Amino acid sequence: MSEFLDPPALIRPVVIHNDGGGLVKDYELAVNRYTIEGREVQIKGSCRSACILSLAVPNVCVYPSAVVKAHQAYESDTGLRRPDVTARMLSWLPTKIQYRLSGKVTATYTSQSILKGDELIALGIRKCGDNYDAVGSANNQNAVRKADNIRARRTNDNSVRSGETGCKWEKFWLIRCLLRL
């Protein structure tokens, strides 16, 4: 089971030691959930495939020993490459990481699509142990907007636009709404 998708109790951080990834939509939902909760995500070891979306959580940190590996998204039953899903997945990442991976994510892991902890720290990801205040951060606000956009795409209803989720913005109700996505 994915460490990112199976979190401990709310007050404890999500710790990634060895996460091989899974369905992109499941990781997107988890990013939204952890963003709303203000949950810390610590990458200590290997984070592969869709696990790269853990870097989109505003309260993510990495250890120098962390390794994040990206490859193109594909349909699990047919093996068909999905450049649209790959682009969507990469769009969630911080700008510097998007730039670093631009044009380098291929069907398999390559040295160009592997990011080590020290490099992630140099690209702006917080080193675990450094302080973080999630309240009102720009990344947190961006994640909420992305949640709105996902909901709009999934409803196939032109009346639902970014910012119009129909969810109450109180923490409890927003979490319940996001979990329905």
Side-chain angles (χ1 to χ4, degrees), residues 37-128:
E37 293 174 355
R39 180 79 70 108
E40 181 177 52
V41 173
Q42 300 176 357
I43 305 175
K44 284 188 169 187
S46 178
C47 174
R48 301 177 309 279
S49 193
C51 180
I52 195 171
L53 284 170
S54 63
L55 294 172
V57 176
N59 197 7
V60 67
C61 68
V62 296
Y63 285 84
S65 59
V67 178
V68 176
K69 299 179 178 184
H71 67 80
Q72 291 175 341
Y74 63 91
E75 294 288 340
S76 58
D77 53 346
T78 64
L80 178 68
R81 298 285 163 212
R82 293 288 308 272
D84 58 323
V85 176
T86 300
R88 186 179 84 217
M89 183 171 62
L90 294 175
S91 75
W92 282 64
L93 302 178
T95 305
K96 288 182 181 180
I97 295 174
Q98 288 180 36
Y99 180 75
R100 161 61 176 80
L101 292 174
S102 179
K104 298 173 183 157
V105 177
T106 62
T108 59
Y109 303 123
T110 68
S111 61
Q112 293 297 308
S113 66
I114 296 173
L115 303 166
K116 295 185 179 175
D118 288 330
E119 182 179 9
L120 289 164
I121 293 165
L123 289 169
I125 300 297
R126 181 173 56 88
K127 181 179 179 182
C128 291

Side-chain angles (χ1 to χ4, degrees), residues 4-5 24-39 41 50-59 89 92-93 139-140 142-144 146-147 150 178-179:
F4 188 69
L5 299 178
V24 171
K25 67 180 180 176
D26 293 340
Y27 280 78
E28 290 170 335
L29 289 172
V31 167
N32 287 327
R33 176 181 172 188
Y34 301 152
T35 297
I36 298 303
E37 293 174 355
R39 180 79 70 108
V41 173
C51 180
I52 195 171
L53 284 170
S54 63
L55 294 172
V57 176
N59 197 7
M89 183 171 62
W92 282 64
L93 302 178
N139 285 341
N140 194 15
N142 287 337
V144 170
K146 286 180 181 181
I150 290 171
L178 291 173
L179 292 176

Side-chain angles (χ1 to χ4, degrees), residues 151-164:
R151 183 167 176 76
R153 283 194 301 269
R154 290 196 179 151
T155 61
N156 292 324
D157 179 356
N158 290 333
S159 67
V160 179
R161 293 181 183 86
S162 179
E164 300 175 7

